[in-house]
Amino acid sequence: MPSKKFYIFAVILISTALLFSGSLLDRKFSKLNSTQGKASVVEVVYPEEGKIISFEPSRPIEQNPQNLNIIQEDQNTKDITPLAEKKDEDPPKKKVIPFSCLTSEKEYDDMWLFNLGQNISLPDTTYIPKGLEKIPNIYSARTNICLTHDTLENLEAMLSQAKIDGHIIKVTSAFRTFDYQTGLLQTATDNGNSDANLSIAKPGYSEHQLGTAVDLSGESINFSSADRAFNYTEEAKWLEEHASDYGFIESYPKDKTDITGYIYEPWHYRYVGIDNAKQILKNNQTITEFLAE
Ligand SMILES: [Zn+2]
């Protein structure tokens, strides 16, 4: 018969065995997690969920701010895509295409002194002058409008002198294509302007298509374009006196409507070169009359 001591020993042995089996053994305590050889967090594996939960030991094994950051990131990050594989999710930035003046593949004769009129159109209505250049913003009330090189060079000289003399004058319209002119006339007609043809050239008939004509306006009327109010401004007076010194002439002067076919447009100037401009002024001619000689 086993002794009483044997039974007590056997009970302790069985209890100990039970204690280390069953549910307690389902949870396997891992080794201390080692990051680059430095223990910082403890991992516990839950087999039923296959997850590894990291947590900080109640008493930090090593104070290492870098590792603490890693723990925080692990807890808050659901997306486990490696950073290297992530694509840039920002919307693609819009490309800003710098403005450039129109150019044409087609070869045209230079039309800068062509005698355009109410009844004389360009020989080729697709005409685009060579070497159009953008007017700098300080001389233009609109963005992205262009003139030929010589026209722009002389315009800048004229408007900078006007400024020195106390007048801020800017361009409100410059080179226009055939299509733009078509739209301009159509809009005026649609708006009930029955005299549109007296102030707006037909497409193919406009000096603006030459790249040498400008509409000008002044600060005193807030750069209002093709505005009869410009007639009475100091800026208009200054232009009348000085424009020819820079090769510019009013295309549609006062009291010349019967010759030009257009109403008086004190804002519309055409570059014809300094010598020609002075000759036209001296002879009290219109550009049409001068060029017809
Ligand atoms: Zn004009």
Side-chain angles (χ1 to χ4, degrees):
M1 264 310 268
S3 67
K4 194 178 178 183
K5 280 183 182 176
F6 173 78
Y7 282 117
I8 292 167
F9 177 74
V11 166
I12 290 168
L13 194 68
I14 290 163
S15 301
T16 306
L18 285 171
L19 200 65
F20 284 97
S21 66
S23 64
L24 276 176
L25 287 182
D26 285 343
R27 294 185 176 185
K28 185 177 76 185
F29 285 83
S30 73
K31 292 176 186 172
L32 289 177
N33 181 34
S34 175
T35 306
Q36 292 177 337
K38 293 175 184 174
S40 60
V41 294
V42 174
E43 287 179 353
V44 179
V45 180
Y46 290 87
E48 69 276 18
E49 290 171 37
K51 282 182 181 173
I52 298 173
I53 305 286
S54 303
F55 64 93
E56 288 178 80
S58 56
R59 191 159 52 89
I61 295 164
E62 187 179 340
Q63 291 293 347
N64 185 331
Q66 195 180 348
N67 286 342
L68 292 178
N69 285 342
I70 290 167
I71 293 162
Q72 207 165 18
E73 282 170 21
D74 285 350
Q75 289 170 341
N76 295 331
T77 306
K78 287 178 183 169
D79 184 357
I80 56 164
T81 311
L83 280 174
E85 288 177 21
K86 280 195 174 183
K87 288 177 184 169
D88 188 4
E89 287 168 9
D90 290 340
K93 285 179 183 171
K94 282 180 187 171
K95 275 190 179 174
V96 178
I97 301 165
F99 171 81
S100 57
C101 298
L102 267 186
T103 53
S104 177
E105 303 273 306
K106 196 170 166 181
E107 280 290 322
Y108 297 101
D109 292 336
D110 194 339
M111 294 279 142
W112 82 289
L113 280 183
F114 187 77
N115 194 7
L116 275 177
Q118 267 286 19
N119 299 307
I120 315 165
S121 72
L122 282 159
D124 186 340
T125 55
T126 63
Y127 177 72
I128 295 171
K130 266 189 197 146
L132 286 171
E133 294 176 16
K134 187 189 160 186
I135 307 173
N137 290 344
I138 50 164
Y139 300 120
S140 179
R142 288 176 49 205
T143 52
N144 301 340
I145 53 174
C146 306
L147 290 170
T148 64
H149 175 81
D150 288 351
T151 310
L152 183 56
E153 200 172 54
N154 286 279
L155 177 99
E156 289 182 356
M158 178 170 77
L159 299 190
S160 60
Q161 185 58 50
K163 192 178 178 184
I164 290 165
D165 293 349
H167 307 292
I168 309 294
I169 301 169
K170 291 187 178 185
V171 180
T172 63
S173 187
F175 168 72
R176 297 177 195 153
T177 61
F178 179 92
D179 289 342
Y180 187 94
Q181 193 70 23
T182 306
L184 202 64
L185 186 59
Q186 189 61 52
T187 304
T189 308
D190 291 348
N191 289 339
N193 183 351
S194 54
D195 291 332
N197 274 321
L198 282 176
S199 54
I200 301 168
K202 298 184 286 288
Y205 292 75
S206 173
E207 288 185 348
H208 284 282
Q209 197 174 339
L210 301 174
T212 60
V214 285
D215 291 342
L216 299 166
S217 189
E219 191 180 32
S220 68
I221 57 164
N222 212 16
F223 306 110
S224 176
S225 185
D227 191 330
R228 282 165 200 254
F230 189 60
N231 300 9
Y232 312 104
T233 64
E234 290 298 315
E235 292 105 328
K237 204 180 285 176
W238 187 94
L239 285 169
E240 259 182 49
E241 286 170 22
H242 301 283
S244 65
D245 296 339
Y246 302 89
F248 287 89
I249 281 289
E250 280 181 66
S251 297
Y252 315 118
K254 207 181 274 181
D255 305 324
K256 298 276 188 181
T257 300
D258 55 331
I259 299 166
T260 64
Y262 293 99
I263 57 158
Y264 173 43
E265 293 191 2
W267 56 83
H268 180 108
Y269 280 81
R270 175 174 171 183
Y271 177 74
V272 290
I274 295 169
D275 291 345
N276 291 334
K278 290 201 176 294
Q279 195 66 40
I280 290 166
L281 209 60
K282 189 180 158 197
N283 299 346
N284 190 28
Q285 289 174 302
T286 63
I287 296 173
T288 310
E289 288 170 316
F290 175 78
L291 294 176
E293 283 178 352

